[in-house]
Amino acid sequence: MRCGGEPAGRAGPLDHPGADWAGLRVLVTGLGVSGFAAADALLERGAVVRGLDSGSSEALSQRCEILGVLGADLVLGDEAAAALADPAASSVLDDIDLVVTSPGWRPSSPVFVEADARGIPVWGEVELAWRMRPEGAAPWVTITGTNGKTTTVQMLHSIFTAAGLRSRAVGNVGTPIMEAVLDPEPYDVLAVELSSFQLHWQNSLSPVASVCLNVAPDHVDWHGSLEEYRAAKGRVYANTHVACVYNVEDETTRELVEDADVVEGARAVGFTLGTPAVSMVGLVEDVLADRAFVENRRTSAAELGTIADLQRGSVAPPPHVIANALAAASLARAAGVPPLAVREGLRTFTPAAHRIAEVAREGDVTWIDDSKATNPHAAAASLRAFTDVVWIAGGLLKGADVDDLVREHAARLRGVVLLGRDRERLAEALGRHAPEVPVIDVPETDTGAMTRIVEAAASLARPGDVVLLAPAAASMDMFRNYEVRGEAFADAVRAHHGH
């Protein structure tokens, strides 16, 4: 696949501010939020845009109406579906210089295979946004990882704000990068969350600092293999200027840094839950300590905050939240933020919903919503934070193996409540590795299911226990998304306790 190549026949490369986009013939595949932003930016610069989307929704119709008024040629509905099924037999790629794709489209899609056969480069919206940056544009700091990306990018944004910088959290976190890049009021710095889908399609991005938080099996069906998924994550480090930040506890992230082609002078900086060595950021007792960005790092360290600065409610911050904070602090220091601003940013950071969120504490039982734990790796991090757990788990496992998850955490389980389509696979793993743990299966999927799930969990919980919603699975078999699942859990918990 010709990721990042230049469109043929251009008078000059499209890799600098002031490049001439006029007349460039671009196919934009997918007209969701990021695809719409890409098409809009291209039209504004005089490109000839053809939009392709076979979906149907009110939001899509509204976006297409706007793009039609702006002059885009739109291929939609059944016509788009036919073109996607057999692009060689359609005219969708005729006279096209460049394809710009939204993140979710697989590399194996026939439209990209046909584009490659015709010598047409394919860019992601991240690549397009990077190339469209205006003169003096804000530097980017980039974050990826199987889990923890959104929390880390939001922590980083909070730190930048505390430092007095005009910052924005963009990318996979929800706000299209293009929107921030072309904002009429320039930003000082962008905290950019990148998924493996987005990284697959980017080639020329050159951040100030970058991090891969962790790598665990995920999205293998999209990438085709675990090796391809790992390689996509490693692209976050390419062309980094100041610091490639890696997770000392995850050997793969260090290997990805070692393999990266970076700007000369860029350093490898580790973050660790242990005592930091030179060129690391880590913990000295309960203090977040910097031994990477201080002048005399062989003999001294800078304090960047404490574990107490990260606590919200009665629940102590779990290890993975502390690790995210250390990663965010490392990136901020690489970008020149002083230690006091790092601490203030971490202290004032407000976590997003459904991430180790305390819902209630009744009868010495704590109820925790971590609905965002949508894969086994995330659920493992959540379980690791507590000693005695009534675990609520299940949903769409997407082919993920759960044996290691259950085996590792069997000793902390006081009971398990199973929900969702793939709960039988969890039940089988529990039978193999935790046969003595009581399990309640809730097969219902109707609107009252969460009430029965909470009642079942309450029947298993004893004083001192934590009831933890950390499903290790996606939600779409029962709920629209993980947010709706978490809200249903919180509502049912409050109702159970009469709140």
Side-chain angles (χ1 to χ4, degrees):
M1 199 66 63
R2 300 166 62 87
C3 305
E6 294 289 341
R10 300 299 296 170
L14 299 172
D15 60 359
H16 63 284
D20 183 11
W21 299 81
L24 184 72
R25 296 163 300 185
V26 186
L27 174 67
V28 178
T29 63
L31 298 175
V33 175
S34 61
F36 172 81
D40 183 39
L42 286 161
L43 288 164
E44 185 179 335
R45 279 155 184 73
V48 179
V49 173
R50 180 176 297 155
L52 178 67
D53 199 310
S54 61
S56 61
S57 69
E58 183 177 348
L60 176 62
S61 297
Q62 291 172 349
R63 287 190 289 267
C64 289
E65 183 176 350
I66 294 169
L67 292 176
V69 170
L70 294 174
D73 171 29
L74 301 175
V75 182
L76 306 172
D78 291 343
E79 184 184 359
L84 288 169
D86 189 1
S90 79
S91 60
V92 71
L93 284 167
D94 290 356
D95 302 320
I96 291 296
D97 302 311
L98 171 69
V99 176
V100 173
T101 180
S102 297
W105 290 52
R106 297 188 183 194
S108 58
S109 296
V111 68
F112 303 137
V113 174
E114 179 64 19
D116 190 50
R118 299 189 188 192
I120 304 171
V122 180
W123 296 355
E125 33 88 45
V126 174
E127 180 77 13
L128 182 67
W130 178 258
R131 289 172 178 253
M132 279 195 171
R133 292 169 306 129
E135 194 74 50
W140 294 15
V141 179
T142 54
I143 298 100
T144 196
T146 302
N147 294 298
K149 299 184 293 295
T150 299
T151 297
T152 304
V153 78
Q154 291 173 338
M155 283 179 168
L156 182 61
H157 168 62
S158 180
I159 293 170
F160 284 147
T161 300
L165 300 172
R166 185 168 188 263
S167 165
R168 194 164 183 184
V170 298
N172 197 54
V173 72
T175 301
I177 302 173
M178 188 70 74
E179 183 179 314
V181 164
L182 302 181
D183 193 298
E185 185 179 348
Y187 289 92
D188 297 314
V189 64
L190 295 179
V192 183
E193 178 184 336
L194 296 173
S195 69
S196 61
F197 303 162
Q198 292 169 311
L199 284 163
H200 174 87
W201 296 112
Q202 78 83 21
N203 186 63
S204 59
L205 171 60
S206 185
V208 170
S210 54
V211 68
C212 181
L213 300 168
N214 44 63
V215 179
D218 201 13
H219 303 304
V220 173
D221 55 344
W222 193 94
H223 290 279
S225 69
L226 182 58
E227 291 71 25
E228 287 296 323
Y229 173 69
R230 179 185 182 276
K233 287 298 188 186
R235 293 171 80 102
V236 76
Y237 292 122
N239 306 314
T240 296
H241 285 261
V242 175
C244 296
V245 177
Y246 67 96
N247 183 347
V248 174
E249 277 77 40
D250 189 323
E251 182 70 12
T252 296
T253 66
R254 182 185 64 78
E255 293 171 354
L256 292 175
V257 172
E258 291 175 347
D259 293 341
D261 185 8
V262 302
V263 175
E264 186 175 353
R267 298 168 51 203
V269 173
F271 68 91
T272 175
L273 293 172
T275 303
V278 174
S279 288
M280 292 183 186
V281 175
L283 292 178
V284 177
E285 297 181 348
D286 67 340
V287 173
L288 281 65
D290 169 14
R291 291 194 67 194
F293 301 100
V294 292
E295 186 173 350
N296 299 312
R297 57 182 181 269
R298 294 195 175 277
T299 57
S300 61
E303 181 177 336
L304 303 177
T306 67
I307 290 176
D309 292 327
L310 303 174
Q311 183 160 341
R312 305 293 182 268
S314 65
V315 178
H320 66 281
V321 171
I322 299 171
N324 292 340
L326 290 165
S330 302
L331 294 168
R333 293 289 285 146
V337 173
L340 285 177
V342 173
R343 181 169 193 172
E344 183 62 19
L346 293 175
R347 182 185 289 145
T348 57
F349 165 68
T350 302
H354 315 299
R355 294 164 170 83
I356 307 287
E358 183 176 329
V359 175
R361 186 177 175 84
E362 298 281 347
D364 200 26
V365 173
T366 305
W367 296 74
I368 300 293
D369 168 15
D370 196 18
S371 184
K372 183 62 170 67
T374 57
N375 58 49
H377 187 261
S382 191
L383 285 163
R384 205 172 288 125
F386 307 105
T387 303
D388 300 311
V389 177
V390 175
W391 183 31
I392 301 174
L396 292 175
L397 287 171
K398 301 179 293 183
D401 178 66
V402 290
D403 275 87
D404 289 346
L405 172 66
V406 173
R407 185 188 302 109
E408 179 184 353
H409 297 287
R412 70 182 76 242
L413 299 179
R414 295 294 169 263
V416 179
V417 180
L418 297 177
L419 73 155
R421 193 186 74 181
D422 293 336
R423 64 189 185 281
E424 184 177 340
R425 290 183 51 206
L426 279 159
E428 291 169 353
L430 287 160
R432 285 189 290 271
H433 307 298
E436 74 289 350
V437 174
V439 177
I440 298 177
D441 183 290
V442 180
E444 294 90 344
T445 59
D446 58 30
T447 55
M450 191 59 82
T451 297
R452 290 184 283 278
I453 290 163
V454 166
E455 290 171 350
S459 73
L460 296 171
R462 300 293 180 264
D465 287 352
V466 169
V467 178
L468 174 65
L469 174 68
S475 61
M476 289 78 75
D477 56 332
M478 292 177 62
F479 305 94
R480 188 170 69 251
N481 51 44
Y482 76 83
E483 291 100 333
V484 174
R485 179 172 60 189
E487 289 160 6
F489 173 72
D491 289 345
V493 170
R494 286 188 282 264
H496 180 79
H497 293 107
H499 299 320

